[in-house]
Amino acid sequence: MEDDLYVHCNATQIKQALINIIKNGAEAMDKSGIIKVTTQKEDDYVAIEVLDEGQGIPDDMVKEVGNPFFSTKPDGTGLGLTITKQIIEIHRGKLRISSYEDVGTSFTILLPIAD
């Protein structure tokens, strides 16, 4: 059994970041699908992965995700993921995105493990 993993964080802010990512994943799925959330240790970080079964993000757009006013949704503002990215950076963390068109998208939040 793996040891418990802890991070120092503002719980309300990390909760908001996760809500933003999960909400986007749900909206990316046309009808139904699974959103899977997992955690694991990755080097000196706790990795929280949110994986959806949505339509995915084209390769040329993935690098734009998290920039203000960029959205793949017709009526989206892009501000949810901009705020999410800022929250993670404030916590000395990283956001990693992998996406495959017609398969889904993985957002991984990496937060430093507490000493």
Side-chain angles (χ1 to χ4, degrees), residues 11-23:
T12 302
Q13 290 179 345
I14 296 302
K15 177 180 166 184
Q16 185 61 56
L18 286 166
I19 287 170
N20 289 347
I21 291 171
I22 292 169
K23 180 177 178 282

Side-chain angles (χ1 to χ4, degrees), residues 10 13 83-93 111:
N10 178 309
Q13 290 179 345
I83 291 167
T84 296
K85 191 174 171 184
Q86 289 173 346
I87 289 169
I88 294 165
E89 289 171 355
I90 287 168
H91 287 83
R92 297 179 294 119
L111 297 172

Side-chain angles (χ1 to χ4, degrees), residues 2-102:
E2 192 169 323
D3 293 333
D4 291 336
L5 300 171
Y6 297 94
V7 298
H8 291 292
C9 69
N10 178 309
T12 302
Q13 290 179 345
I14 296 302
K15 177 180 166 184
Q16 185 61 56
L18 286 166
I19 287 170
N20 289 347
I21 291 171
I22 292 169
K23 180 177 178 282
N24 281 352
E27 291 172 355
M29 295 186 287
D30 291 331
K31 296 178 184 165
S32 66
I34 295 172
I35 295 177
K36 182 177 176 182
V37 180
T38 60
T39 60
Q40 66 181 17
K41 183 176 189 266
E42 193 172 303
D43 299 321
D44 294 330
Y45 294 90
V46 174
I48 306 166
E49 180 184 34
V50 179
L51 177 63
D52 69 54
E53 294 180 338
Q55 73 246 17
I57 303 168
D59 287 341
D60 60 330
M61 293 183 174
V62 170
K63 64 183 175 296
E64 300 296 325
V65 173
N67 290 338
F69 307 108
F70 172 81
S71 179
T72 58
K73 296 184 277 188
D75 59 346
T77 63
L79 295 178
L81 286 176
T82 299
I83 291 167
T84 296
K85 191 174 171 184
Q86 289 173 346
I87 289 169
I88 294 165
E89 289 171 355
I90 287 168
H91 287 83
R92 297 179 294 119
K94 303 172 188 176
L95 181 62
R96 187 171 56 213
I97 305 165
S98 316
S99 191
Y100 301 95
E101 287 189 77
D102 301 320

